[in-house]
Amino acid sequence: PCASSEAHDNAPNPPHPGYTISMKFHRTVLLMMIGAGLPGYALTAADQQDPALTCYRSAASGSREPFACDLAIQVATRSSDSRSIAAAYTNRGLVLARAGRLELALKDHNEAVTRLPGNPSVLINRADVLMRMGRPADALADYDRAAAADPDAPTVFFNRAFTHRAMGNLAAAETDIAQARALLATGL
């Protein structure tokens, strides 16, 4: 397997058969990558046993390389747990978006939404990518769904306010900012 960006651009989701050799092989390659000093791969012993945690930490650390999440998707898909699969796709989508690979990020976020259609976090992450792609109307639809699913989440309203503003709807943007501030003030 290759961890380069070029190799992943052509890989279908889940990763192509070259990534399915074995968990032991993947761990070995991942550990070799750590030894090579690749950014975003500072793993603990627990990470080596938990690809989902490794993927999460990769997304949270600012990594731009999706290899750790490729493995998490593979493992989660074998378990058939929709929540785990959606989390792995969401985290890889975050990594890909950070790397500027928005089409691939959107593909992963779409897969996550398919697995957990009403999950506000999944919808917010997809909406964020849609905004970066210059698709505010599509982003607004996701923010609306996220707000309906979790009306107590200030993040939804802040993000939706920026979307309204980008679309020229300043009154709606002001309403969403006021709602986000009110939620923050109440501590929800």
Side-chain angles (χ1 to χ4, degrees):
C2 180
S4 75
S5 299
E6 297 77 34
H8 190 278
D9 283 343
N10 297 322
N13 291 328
H16 64 76
Y19 285 112
T20 61
I21 296 170
S22 75
M23 284 291 293
K24 185 175 182 180
F25 180 76
H26 285 292
R27 257 190 226 129
T28 302
V29 171
L30 194 56
L31 292 173
M32 288 180 350
M33 291 170 67
I34 296 164
L38 293 177
Y41 288 100
L43 304 181
T44 65
D47 292 337
Q48 295 170 29
Q49 301 301 318
D50 186 352
L53 180 60
T54 304
C55 177
Y56 169 78
R57 287 189 176 161
S58 178
S61 73
S63 173
R64 294 174 182 256
E65 178 52 57
F67 181 81
C69 292
D70 294 344
L71 180 57
I73 289 169
Q74 227 176 28
V75 171
T77 301
R78 284 190 210 134
S79 76
S80 300
D81 175 28
S82 292
R83 196 167 199 67
S84 296
I85 297 168
Y89 274 109
T90 295
N91 287 329
R92 187 171 73 178
L94 293 170
V95 171
L96 291 167
R98 186 176 301 112
R101 297 161 66 190
L102 299 179
E103 290 294 334
L104 287 173
L106 180 59
K107 185 176 179 182
D108 278 0
H109 288 304
N110 287 341
E111 184 63 33
V113 170
T114 298
R115 304 290 179 152
L116 292 177
N119 183 289
S121 296
V122 170
L123 292 165
I124 290 169
N125 285 316
R126 183 171 73 175
D128 291 346
V129 169
L130 289 165
M131 278 299 292
R132 288 184 59 193
M133 295 175 80
R135 296 172 53 184
D138 294 330
L140 184 60
D142 276 353
Y143 288 133
D144 288 345
R145 288 176 56 203
D150 188 359
D152 296 327
T155 303
V156 175
F157 295 98
F158 275 123
N159 289 4
R160 191 169 72 175
F162 288 111
T163 304
H164 280 303
R165 184 174 177 194
M167 297 174 73
N169 190 345
L170 299 181
E174 289 176 17
T175 299
D176 277 347
I177 290 291
Q179 178 65 24
R181 285 183 177 152
L183 289 169
L184 287 172
T186 62
L188 292 177

